[in-house]
């Protein structure tokens, strides 16, 4: 997040400047800057993205079956508040106890699975 018009390249250059020189550009949102500082203080790796553990389509379906009750409940909740999601451009992830995404609920600007 940057304060001016969103631009991925600018944000990436601000991040590189922070990592190399420790300088936070004033256009970087304070929440993002704070997160960068916390990560740097914890000495988290930043050169490459960590490996993500993705589930296969079959495993996702199995997880959804395991959590079928809550998926149906959240679907109903989403349907009742869809207008609120659209007005405020919100999205929601339903995550299981192991941290895997079971379902994504997004505004019309994005998509809904």
């Amino acid at each position: 997040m940057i304060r001016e018009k969103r631009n991925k390249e600018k944000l990436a250059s601000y991040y590189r400047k922070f990592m190399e020189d420790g300088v936070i550009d004033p256009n970087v949102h304070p929440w993002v800057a704070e997160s960068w500082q916390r990560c740097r203080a914890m000495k988290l790796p930043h050169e490459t993205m960590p490996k993500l553990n993705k589930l296969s389509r079959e495993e996702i379906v199995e997880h959804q079956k395991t959590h079928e009750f809550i998926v149906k409940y959240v679907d109903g909740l989403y349907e009742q508040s869809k207008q609120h999601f659209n007005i405020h451009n919100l999205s929601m992830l339903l995550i299981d106890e192991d941290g895997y995404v079971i379902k994504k609920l997004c505004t019309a600007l994005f998509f809904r699975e």
Side-chain angles (χ1 to χ4, degrees):
M1 285 173 48
I2 55 178
R3 295 173 193 237
E4 58 194 31
K5 185 179 177 189
R6 293 180 187 167
N7 183 315
K8 188 176 179 179
E9 291 78 29
K10 281 186 181 179
L11 184 59
S13 71
Y14 298 156
Y15 181 71
R16 281 191 300 276
K17 184 174 183 165
F18 169 71
M19 293 310 295
E20 292 167 6
D21 305 329
V23 176
I24 295 177
D25 191 282
N27 290 309
V28 175
H29 192 285
W31 294 348
V32 174
E34 183 182 319
S35 173
W36 290 355
Q37 290 169 326
R38 282 193 318 264
C39 292
R40 188 177 205 184
M42 291 187 280
K43 300 187 183 334
L44 295 176
H46 63 276
E47 292 85 8
T48 59
M49 287 289 293
K51 183 181 180 306
L52 298 177
N53 294 322
K54 288 187 170 184
L55 299 177
S56 68
R57 188 68 196 145
E58 295 78 22
E59 290 171 315
I60 292 170
V61 170
E62 191 59 40
H63 264 58
Q64 288 173 337
K65 285 180 186 173
T66 302
H67 300 87
E68 184 175 6
F69 174 78
I70 192 69
V71 170
K72 286 182 180 178
Y73 178 81
V74 171
D75 277 343
L77 185 65
Y78 177 80
E79 289 302 321
Q80 291 174 3
S81 53
K82 189 187 299 187
Q83 185 176 1
H84 183 77
F85 272 67
N86 287 332
I87 289 169
H88 299 285
N89 194 23
L90 299 173
S91 59
M92 178 171 50
L93 294 176
L94 182 59
I95 301 174
D96 73 3
E97 64 276 5
D98 296 319
Y100 290 106
V101 174
I102 300 169
K103 184 142 186 141
K104 295 181 282 191
L105 300 139
C106 303
T107 64
L109 294 175
F110 301 105
F111 60 94
R112 181 170 176 237
E113 281 187 6

